[in-house]
């Protein structure tokens, strides 16, 4: 008998002595746990939501500059009081400008008129809005 | 899948590990590992997929147990109960002892070739190695086994001759 035949016979005999457990499926099921399927769904949902939120955030950041600030003018009533130069956004809201060089309006109070620099274009724009 | 393959996989793991209890655990680990992945595998490839998972689990367990080192040949390292050993004849036990003494990769190739009846390509796929590597391992394993079993037979014949004289 060749070595290969002896190998086959010996390994087959070894395997024939093995008796698999009759309750193995119950063991596997208990180890798998009833919530494993649910857990995987929850993980997938959390991952999808996170990706969606990140994508939305990136989109908002990249588009925000173009969409928001479109016009420069005064807050309602601000022309008479000469109080503040604001940015008017597309949705109609006013936002104070943070610039350190505030332009002086032509029809503003004395205090505002004494300011050193005035932008003619802004003054024209504010006049047209009022 | 479980009904069709579980017993065959336990037997394969038992032959690879030479430990029936560990074979059960390893097979159950493999079933858990492939759980949820089998749906994406073609039906005729599922048995091979599961077998690969079992072989991977066997190798992981062997690594954990520090069995990756080559062991000297041919010590009789039998972990089975005396009852198990008693049911095997001497020839079978001699061959199994020689197989146990092989390096891990050679033993895996031998078991997959001569027990699981796989071709070289299937063995390569199950072990994640090249076909050439499988051929080399099988060749070396057979040469070793032939040498060891030949020596054992000669020693056995000499013993029986001495016993006949005295």
């Amino acid at each position: 008998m060749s070595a290969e035949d002896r190998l086959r016979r010996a390994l087959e005999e070894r395997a024939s002595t093995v008796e698999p457990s009759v309750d193995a499926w119950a063991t596997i099921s208990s180890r798998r746990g009833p919530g494993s399927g649910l857990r995987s769904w929850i993980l997938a949902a959390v991952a999808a939501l996170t990706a969606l939120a990140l994508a939305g955030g990136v989109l908002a950041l990249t588009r925000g500059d173009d969409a928001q600030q479109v016009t420069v003018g005064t807050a309602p009533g601000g022309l008479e009081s000469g109080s503040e130069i604001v940015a008017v956004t597309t949705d109609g809201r006013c936002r104070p400008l943070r610039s350190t060089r505030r332009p002086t309006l032509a029809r503003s109070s004395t205090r505002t008129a004494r300011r050193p620099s005035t932008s003619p274009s802004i003054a024209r724009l504010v006049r047209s809005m009022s | 899948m479980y009904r069709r393959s579980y017993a065959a996989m336990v037997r394969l793991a038992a032959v690879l590990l030479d430990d029936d209890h560990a074979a059960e655990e390893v097979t159950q680990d493999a079933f858990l590992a492939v759980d949820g992945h089998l749906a994406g595998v073609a039906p005729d490839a599922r048995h091979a997929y599961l077998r690969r998972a079992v072989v991977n689990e066997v190798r992981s367990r062997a690594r954990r147990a520090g069995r990756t080192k080559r062991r000297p040949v041919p010590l009789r390292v039998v972990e089975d109960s005396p009852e198990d050993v008693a049911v095997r004849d001497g020839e079978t036990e001699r061959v199994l002892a020689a197989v146990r003494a092989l390096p891990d990769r050679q033993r895996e190739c031998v078991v997959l070739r001569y027990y699981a009846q796989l071709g070289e390509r299937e063995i390569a796929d199950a072990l994640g190695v090249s076909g050439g590597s499988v051929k080399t391992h099988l060749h070396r394993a057979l040469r070793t086994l032939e040498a060891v079993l030949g020596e054992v037979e000669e020693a056995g014949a000499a013993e029986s001759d001495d016993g006949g004289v005295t």
Side-chain angles (χ1 to χ4, degrees), chain A residues 5-72:
Chain A
D5 292 334
R6 292 166 75 184
L7 265 174
R8 285 193 188 92
R9 186 178 157 201
L11 294 171
E12 190 57 49
E13 281 190 28
R14 172 67 182 90
S16 67
T17 65
V18 179
E19 280 299 323
S21 161
V22 291
D23 59 349
W25 181 246
T27 308
I28 292 172
S29 299
S30 67
R31 287 179 64 190
R32 187 169 52 185
S36 63
L38 182 64
R39 271 198 301 274
S40 61
W41 276 108
I42 290 173
L43 281 175
V46 168
L49 286 175
T50 306
L52 206 62
L54 282 172
V58 168
L59 202 64
L61 283 174
T62 53
R63 291 186 55 191
D65 290 344
D66 296 338
Q68 287 297 311
Q69 186 173 325
V70 292
T71 313
V72 177

Side-chain angles (χ1 to χ4, degrees), chain B residues 51-70:
Chain B
R51 182 172 55 223
R52 184 171 187 163
V54 169
V55 172
N56 283 339
E57 292 291 339
V58 165
R59 298 171 77 187
S60 298
R61 178 169 287 246
R63 272 197 298 274
R64 285 198 299 271
R67 290 178 58 181
T68 49
K69 289 183 289 185
R70 294 177 68 129

Side-chain angles (χ1 to χ4, degrees), chain A residues 1 3-29 31-32 36, chain B residues 2 6-7 10-11 14-15 18-20 24 28-29 32 35 80 88-89 91-92 95-96 99 110 114-115 142 145-146 149 153:
Chain A
M1 190 186 287
E4 292 178 327
D5 292 334
R6 292 166 75 184
L7 265 174
R8 285 193 188 92
R9 186 178 157 201
L11 294 171
E12 190 57 49
E13 281 190 28
R14 172 67 182 90
S16 67
T17 65
V18 179
E19 280 299 323
S21 161
V22 291
D23 59 349
W25 181 246
T27 308
I28 292 172
S29 299
R31 287 179 64 190
R32 187 169 52 185
S36 63
Chain B
Y2 168 81
Y6 184 77
V10 171
R11 292 194 174 102
V15 176
D18 204 25
D19 181 338
D20 293 6
E24 287 266 1
Q28 289 171 11
D29 288 345
L32 288 169
D35 184 37
D80 302 317
R88 298 178 202 151
D89 62 18
E91 159 69 7
T92 299
V95 175
L96 291 179
V99 171
V110 163
Y114 296 106
Y115 170 66
L142 275 179
L145 290 172
E146 281 169 355
L149 294 174
E153 278 178 0

Side-chain angles (χ1 to χ4, degrees), chain B residues 74-78 92-102:
Chain B
L75 294 178
R76 189 168 180 277
V77 187
V78 179
T92 299
E93 192 52 44
R94 275 195 295 276
V95 175
L96 291 179
V99 171
R100 285 184 205 111
L102 290 172

Side-chain angles (χ1 to χ4, degrees), chain A residues 66-117:
Chain A
D66 296 338
Q68 287 297 311
Q69 186 173 325
V70 292
T71 313
V72 177
T74 58
L79 188 63
E80 282 68 28
S81 64
S83 60
E84 196 170 27
I85 304 296
V86 296
V88 183
T89 61
T90 50
D91 54 359
R93 285 179 297 174
C94 297
R95 185 162 61 84
L97 286 177
R98 301 287 181 206
S99 172
T100 54
R101 292 195 309 160
R102 289 190 175 185
T104 308
L105 300 178
R107 294 168 52 199
S108 61
S109 65
T110 309
R111 186 182 166 195
T112 307
R114 280 201 300 269
R115 286 182 181 165
S117 64

